[in-house]
Structure formats: structure tokens, C-alpha cells
């Protein structure tokens, strides 16, 4: 065995401080239902669902080169699978949520057998077509409520994990659902970010970084770009399906128009990733906070709000193509999720 | 034994023929140079060998196996490494990470070896830039990175595409040393280069390409002395 002369390091001082702060933040978020108003819990729920979707889209578009504008297909499928179990075959809600993810990933495989033949803009259009087809098909099913959708049965609500305990602690029935959905999405959000972060530090994650930067060169040094794309696509659709189940569990109602909304589940998500900084884990986090602030101040303006968002997105692409986080990190060198492999001499 | 063999390889883009009935064999452990005027199809030939382009007709054998229908990724796993004429770094990855990717996936290893990659960077004089993003490198360093990354895949056959252009005399000398020691360690080399003195310092055989056809093949001295090569390649009137 030869002596090692070099080692690899990743973490920086900022990243260690950030990790500590992040743990504190997560603990505060867990306790939030006792600390803040129900309105803010709902806002936090919305922020975190958007963050989960944005992390997934970032992985798809920012790393794997899969620019999908049809992720609403998997939000909707997840929601409908969850509601179908709730209405027709009440199983424990946690299992129904898991099933939502699995079915979304499964239908993703079928969709990919068509869309993966397309490149670039054609792929984007293809994913949207798939989403429309799924939406129109579901809207025709009278057993699923047709165009008006379904409501979450009351008895099923009460089988939610922790429902009884929260009721005893004085939460109203619908507040209890809010809190349960909030904790679940908090768990999903933390797990999603941690999994992506851990994955990016594996050799496969490094290979994905190579695919992001230059797919031809990546293949030429032996990276199986196709396999990585499939892996990312499957994983993201699984998580997106789960997110869909949780989003509509909290709303307690689902309809084709809301579940397959291209504005809510693709346009806003793309905005968040682009303005925050595509191709980084930090970007979507910054992006979702900016999006939330804009929404709080501008949502009353109606259509003008959407025009402002679109204009900001365009300005961001022209002025700062790597997003707000790209500007911050290139000026300061700060990294919150260190995934670099820095060479360090031993001894 | 021939490590690489091309049999009647043809490639055309529409009416433009870029490789015409190309046949040759490269012995295991040899070092071969390819010369020819701009647009002669040298880089295309590399792309046909590496699988970045697929041949319109003909066969490519590597290590006794027919790889004609194999992807660039698979050919890399079999041991064909390459540098691109126009450098194609992974810009947001660091210099070291560029090599780690190649080291890990190129030879289908389960993991990468930082020591190997650092050694390569030391040889190619990039070690002090190991932790910089590859996108921040100058053109010269990007060319060095091309060579380093190809070396990190642990190739049996290394294809080098114009890596000596623009180097100072001292830099060129050290590049020649690097390639010589690679060759000495058993790696077969095919090198496209306009810097002839660098090329002839390493190779023992020259192929001359013009309009997609092989028009000369032999020792460097014989090839450079041939009238046809002087006319076509060096532009000397007959």
C-alpha cells in the first residue's frame, strides 16, 4: 500500500457556521405551530412545497439538462393518487403519500420513453404535451369527479398521524390538518435537500456536474450521461409526486385545473430557480424567499403581478444569468453547501 | 499485435466527404503522428475512432473487438482516451474535479484516486491551479487540462489533438517529456500536430491525410521526403 500524499476536503468555515444555523432553523420550524399564527404556517407550507419543487427542477434543468415544463403532470398525478386512495381504498395516509410518489415515478418512466427521444426545446414542449394529456384524461373520469375534482373524506382526515394528539392539544380539525401537512412537507424539504447534497458529493454527483457543464466531454471520459439523466428524472418525479400529494392534502380538495396548473407548478418554480441561481443547491433557497417577498407585496395587483414576475425573470437572465446566488458567491466566494473536492496536501 | 485497426472507413456529411476509404492499423505500444493541411479530416478521423462520430461505412476494431457500433462512453471504458482540439473543460468543476471525473468513470473504477490525479497535474504543470474552476483557465492551461483529463481515464490508446500549438520552447520540451514518459509506460499514442519538431521528437511513424484520404504512411524521414507530401502538405510547387 502506497502512502497517500493528498486528500480531498470540502467544508469551509462559512459552511460549518451555516450548517449549525440550519439545524437551529429546522428546530425552530418544527416548533413553529406553537410559535406563530396559522396564516404564517400556511405561508411556510407554501414556501417549502415550492422549495421542494424548485430543488427538483434545478436538478433536472440545471444539472441533467432536462428542461421540463411539464412537472405539473407529476404534482397532479401525486395529488390524484393520494385522493383516490383516500376516497376508494383508505390506507394509512403515509402509505398513500408514498404510493403517490411511486406512481408518479412510474408514469414518468412511460412519459420518458417518449420525451427522452427529444432534445432541448423539443423536450420542453414534449413534457408539456404529456402534462396536458394526463390532465385532460383525468378530467374526463367521472369516477374521479371529472372537471370538478374530489374532496378529502372527513373520516380519512382523522386517520392522519398525530391528528388525535393535535386535537387534544386544542387545534381545530382543519388547523390540525394544516399542521400535519406542514410537518410532512418540512420533513420532505429537509430530506430532499440533504439527499441532493449527499448525492452531489458522490462520484455519481460529480459525474452529473460534468454532464451539466459539457455532455459531449462527459461521455468522452466515460460518464454514462443517459443513466444519470434517468436516475435524476425518476428521483425528481418521485419527490414531485409526494409533494403533489401533500399540497392537495393540505387544501383538502383537488381538481384537474389546480392540480395540473402550469403556472403554479412550473412557471413559478422555474422563476424561483432562475432568479435564485440555477445549478446550485443554494440558488432555489434564495429564489423561493425572493418569490415569497414579491408575492406578499405584489399579489394584490392581479395580472400585473404576473407581468412583473415575468419581466424580473427576463431581467435576471440578461443581467445575472447565474442568479442572485451566483452574484453573491462569485463576489464573496461563500459556499453554504460545499460540494467541491479541494485538493489538500497531507503532512 | 494491432491495438487499433480501421478498415475502409468512410464518412460524409451530405456531399462533403470527410473520410474516404481510410484503412490503417496501429501497433500496440507505438507512437504515431498524423499531419495534413487544415480541413484534411484529421479531427474527424479522431471522432470516428472515439465514437463521437459514427462511420457511414467501414469498421473500427480496438483491442481485437469490433467497436464500430459502440458509443464514445463505451470506447472510453475500453481504453480510448482523447483530448479535444477545441478544449472542452467542465467549466464549473475545478481542475482537479475534471480529473476526478475522468479517473472515476473513464476506467469504470468505483472511486477516484486523488494521488493519481495530483501526480498527473504535477506532470502537466497544473498542480498549483488544481482548486480553481476550469472555466477560469487560459487557453494554454485548458489545453494542458485536456491532456491531463485524458491521462486520468487511464487509457491504453491516447489521441492527442493539437496540444503543442502556442507553447514556449521550454513548455514544449516539458510537454514532449510528459508524452514520452506516457509512451514509455506502455500507452499507445496517436498525435495530430502542426508543430512538427515536437511531433517527430516522439513518434516513429507518420500518417498524412488530405481531403479525407491517407496519402502518406511511413517513418517521419521518409514521409517528409516524399514529393507528394511536400506538394500537398507543405505547398511546394513541383
Amino acid at each position: 500500500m502506497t502512502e497517500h500524499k493528498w486528500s480531498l476536503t470540502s467544508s469551509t468555515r462559512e459552511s460549518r457556521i451555516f450548517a449549525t444555523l440550519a439545524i437551529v432553523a429546522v428546530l425552530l420550524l418544527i416548533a413553529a405551530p406553537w410559535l406563530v399564527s396559522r396564516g404564517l404556517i400556511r405561508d411556510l407550507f407554501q414556501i417549502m412545497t415550492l422549495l421542494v419543487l424548485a430543488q427538483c427542477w434545478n436538478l433536472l434543468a440545471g444539472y441533467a439538462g432536462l428542461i421540463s415544463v411539464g412537472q405539473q403532470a407529476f404534482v397532479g398525478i401525486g395529488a390524484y393518487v393520494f385522493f383516490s386512495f383516500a376516497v376508494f381504498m383508505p390506507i394509512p395516509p403515509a402509505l398513500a403519500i408514498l404510493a403517490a410518489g411511486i406512481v408518479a415515478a412510474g408514469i414518468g418512466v412511460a412519459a420518458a420513453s417518449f420525451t427522452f427521444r427529444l432534445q432541448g426545446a423539443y423536450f420542453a414542449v414534449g413534457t408539456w404535451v404529456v402534462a396536458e394529456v394526463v390532465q385532460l384524461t383525468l378530467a374526463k373520469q367521472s369516477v374521479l369527479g371529472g372537471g370538478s375534482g374530489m374532496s378529502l373524506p372527513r373520516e380519512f382526515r382523522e386517520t392522519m398521524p398525530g391528528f388525535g394528539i393535535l386535537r387534544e392539544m386544542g387545534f381545530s380539525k382543519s388547523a390540525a390538518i394544516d399542521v400535519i401537512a406542514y410537518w410532512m412537507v418540512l420533513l420532505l424539504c429537509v430530506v430532499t435537500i440533504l439527499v441532493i447534497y449527499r448525492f452531489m458529493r458522490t462520484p455519481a454527483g460529480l459525474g452529473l456536474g460534468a454532464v451539466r457543464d459539457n455532455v459531449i466531454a462527459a461521455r468522452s471520459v466515460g460518464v454514462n450521461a443517459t443513466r444519470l439523466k434517468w436516475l435524476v428524472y425518476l428521483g425528481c418525479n418521485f419527490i414531485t409526486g409526494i409533494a403533489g400529494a401533500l399540497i392537495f392534502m393540505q387544501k383538502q380538495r383537488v381538481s384537474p385545473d389546480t392540480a395540473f396548473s402550469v403556472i403554479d407548478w412550473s412557471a413559478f418554480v422555474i422563476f424561483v430557480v432562475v432568479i435564485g441561481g440555477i445549478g446550485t443547491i443554494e440558488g432555489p433557497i434564495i429564489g423561493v424567499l425572493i418569490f415569497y417577498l414579491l408575492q406578499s407585496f405584489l399579489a394584490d395587483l392581479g395580472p400585473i403581478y404576473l407581468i412583473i414576475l415575468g419581466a424580473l425573470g427576463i431581467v435576471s437572465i440578461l443581467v445575472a444569468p447565474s442568479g442572485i446566488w451566483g452574484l453573491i458567491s462569485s463576489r464573496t466566494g461563500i459556499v453554504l453547501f460545499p460540494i467541491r473536492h479541494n485538493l489538500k496536501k497531507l503532512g | 499485435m494491432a491495438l487499433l485497426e480501421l478498415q475502409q472507413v468512410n464518412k460524409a456529411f451530405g456531399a462533403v466527404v470527410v473520410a474516404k476509404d481510410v484503412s490503417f492499423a496501429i501497433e500496440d505500444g507505438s507512437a504515431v503522428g498524423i499531419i495534413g493541411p487544415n480541413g484534411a479530416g484529421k479531427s474527424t478521423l479522431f471522432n470516428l475512432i472515439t465514437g463521437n462520430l459514427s462511420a457511414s461505412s467501414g469498421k473500427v476494431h480496438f483491442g481485437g473487438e469490433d467497436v464500430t457500433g459502440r458509443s464514445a462512453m463505451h470506447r472510453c471504458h475500453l481504453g480510448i482516451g482523447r483530448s479535444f482540439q477545441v478544449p472542452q473543460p467542465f467549466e464549473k468543476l475545478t481542475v482537479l474535479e475534471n480529473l476526478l471525473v475522468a479517473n472515476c468513470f473513464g476506467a469504470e473504477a468505483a472511486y477516484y484516486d486523488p494521488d493519481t490525479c495530483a501526480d498527473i497535474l504535477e506532470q502537466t504543470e497544473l498542480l498549483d491551479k488544481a482548486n480553481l474552476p476550469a472555466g477560469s483557465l487560459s487557453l494554454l492551461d485548458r489545453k494542458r487540462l485536456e491532456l491531463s483529463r485524458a491521462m486520468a481515464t487511464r487509457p491504453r490508446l491516447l489521441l492527442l489533438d493539437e496540444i503543442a500549438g502556442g507553447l514556449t520552447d521550454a513548455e514544449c520540451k516539458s510537454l514532449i517529456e510528459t508524452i514520452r514518459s506516457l509512451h514509455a509506460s506502455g500507452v499507445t499514442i496517436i498525435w495530430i500536430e502542426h508543430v512538427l519538431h515536437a511531433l517527430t521528437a516522439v513518434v516513429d511513424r507518420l500518417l498524412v491525410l488530405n481531403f479525407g484520404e491517407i496519402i502518406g504512411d511511413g517513418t517521419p524521414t521518409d514521409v517528409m521526403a516524399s514529393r507528394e507530401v511536400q506538394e500537398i502538405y507543405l505547398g511546394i510547387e513541383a
Side-chain angles (χ1 to χ4, degrees), chain A residues 128-300:
Chain A
W128 196 349
V129 168
V130 168
E132 291 290 308
V133 168
V134 177
Q135 176 184 352
L136 292 172
T137 309
L138 281 179
K140 292 273 178 217
Q141 309 306 316
S142 54
V143 66
L144 299 177
S148 52
M150 293 187 279
S151 293
L152 200 64
R154 283 180 185 199
E155 318 80 68
F156 187 75
R157 268 192 351 191
E158 281 153 27
T159 63
M160 296 283 182
F163 185 83
I165 300 167
L166 284 167
R167 289 286 287 138
E168 278 170 31
M169 294 173 97
F171 286 91
S172 73
K173 281 181 182 172
S174 90
I177 298 293
D178 275 355
V179 171
I180 293 166
Y182 166 79
W183 277 334
M184 284 183 171
V185 89
L186 175 60
L187 178 67
L188 179 66
C189 193
V190 170
V191 169
T192 300
I193 292 175
L194 282 180
V195 165
I196 291 176
Y197 174 55
R198 294 300 304 177
F199 175 73
M200 294 318 289
R201 285 161 56 111
T202 63
L206 194 56
L208 191 61
V211 169
R212 168 197 62 194
D213 284 359
N214 191 325
V215 68
I216 292 171
R219 289 184 202 273
S220 288
V221 296
V223 178
N224 193 335
T226 310
R227 190 196 288 167
L228 283 174
K229 285 183 182 201
W230 269 101
L231 184 68
V232 167
Y233 195 66
L234 278 176
C236 284
N237 292 343
F238 175 73
I239 293 171
T240 304
I242 289 180
L246 292 179
I247 290 166
F248 288 90
M249 177 183 116
Q250 190 259 356
K251 292 184 197 288
Q252 303 186 45
R253 258 207 75 71
V254 69
S255 69
D257 289 345
T258 53
F260 292 90
S261 164
V262 67
I263 302 272
D264 288 340
W265 317 129
S266 272
F268 287 165
V269 170
I270 294 171
F271 176 84
V272 162
V273 176
V274 166
I275 206 155
I278 194 165
T280 60
I281 299 174
E282 294 91 341
I285 299 175
I286 305 279
V288 85
L289 295 176
I290 292 168
F291 176 79
Y292 176 71
L293 286 177
L294 287 171
Q295 200 187 35
S296 322
F297 289 113
L298 303 174
D300 296 339

Side-chain angles (χ1 to χ4, degrees), chain A residues 4-6 8 201 203-204 206-207 209-210 212-214 216-224 339-343, chain B residues 52 72-73 76-77 84 88 90-94 96-97 100-101 104-106 111-112 114-115 118 127 131 133 149:
Chain A
H4 287 291
K5 284 190 289 185
W6 299 93
L8 301 174
R201 285 161 56 111
L206 194 56
R212 168 197 62 194
D213 284 359
N214 191 325
I216 292 171
R219 289 184 202 273
S220 288
V221 296
V223 178
N224 193 335
I339 55 171
R340 280 233 166 117
H341 302 72
N342 285 320
L343 193 64
Chain B
N52 291 97
M73 174 194 81
C76 173
H77 293 166
F84 287 92
Q88 309 278 333
F90 306 125
E91 297 201 2
K92 288 187 195 159
L93 301 187
T94 65
L96 177 79
E97 285 174 327
L100 293 177
V101 170
C104 178
F105 291 90
Y111 211 70
Y112 36 66
D115 287 319
L127 191 55
N131 294 332
R149 195 175 62 186

Side-chain angles (χ1 to χ4, degrees), chain B:
Chain B
M1 194 201 93
L3 180 63
L4 176 76
E5 194 176 355
L6 274 69
Q7 298 168 354
Q8 304 283 307
V9 171
N10 284 282
K11 179 71 186 176
F13 297 108
V16 184
V17 177
V18 287
K20 194 176 169 194
D21 280 336
V22 176
S23 298
F24 60 82
I26 305 285
E27 294 300 307
D28 199 358
S30 60
V32 179
I34 297 182
I35 60 170
N38 289 324
K42 302 185 296 295
S43 293
T44 302
L45 186 62
F46 268 15
N47 285 329
L48 291 167
I49 296 172
T50 59
N52 291 97
L53 284 176
S54 53
S56 309
S57 69
K59 295 264 174 230
V60 180
H61 288 260
F62 180 74
E65 188 182 335
D66 184 355
V67 297
T68 315
R70 296 293 199 171
S71 66
M73 174 194 81
H74 191 90
R75 294 190 205 190
C76 173
H77 293 166
L78 289 175
I80 303 181
R82 76 166 305 175
S83 76
F84 287 92
Q85 183 188 3
V86 177
Q88 309 278 333
F90 306 125
E91 297 201 2
K92 288 187 195 159
L93 301 187
T94 65
V95 169
L96 177 79
E97 285 174 327
N98 271 261
L99 269 68
L100 293 177
V101 170
N103 192 233
C104 178
F105 291 90
E108 285 191 285
Y111 211 70
Y112 36 66
D113 176 20
D115 287 319
T116 306
C117 295
D119 273 354
I120 293 171
L121 289 177
E122 194 160 20
Q123 283 182 62
T124 55
E125 294 167 36
L126 278 176
L127 191 55
D128 54 333
K129 294 176 177 129
N131 294 332
L132 295 179
S136 70
L137 295 184
S138 66
L139 179 62
L140 221 59
D141 283 337
R142 283 171 187 236
K143 286 193 171 194
R144 288 188 170 126
L145 179 57
E146 280 293 321
L147 171 64
S148 317
R149 195 175 62 186
M151 285 163 68
T153 63
R154 283 169 271 183
R156 291 173 68 194
L157 170 66
L158 182 57
L159 306 177
L160 302 171
D161 199 345
E162 292 190 27
I163 52 170
L167 298 181
T168 65
D169 281 353
E171 287 167 340
C172 197
K173 255 188 194 145
S174 103
L175 175 69
I176 290 169
E177 275 320 301
T178 306
I179 297 172
R180 269 188 178 153
S181 75
L182 266 172
H183 184 218
S185 73
V187 180
T188 307
I189 312 269
I190 308 180
W191 188 2
I192 295 174
E193 192 53 76
H194 286 304
V195 184
L196 284 176
H197 71 87
L199 195 59
T200 50
V202 174
V203 305
D204 40 37
R205 178 180 167 199
L206 270 184
L207 291 172
V208 188
L209 211 60
N210 196 26
F211 292 111
E213 268 185 287
I214 299 216
I215 57 157
D217 182 356
T219 64
T221 334
D222 290 350
V223 165
M224 295 316 294
S226 117
R227 184 141 210 106
E228 197 184 8
V229 169
Q230 292 191 350
E231 277 173 31
I232 294 171
Y233 181 61
L234 301 173
I236 295 167
E237 294 291 324

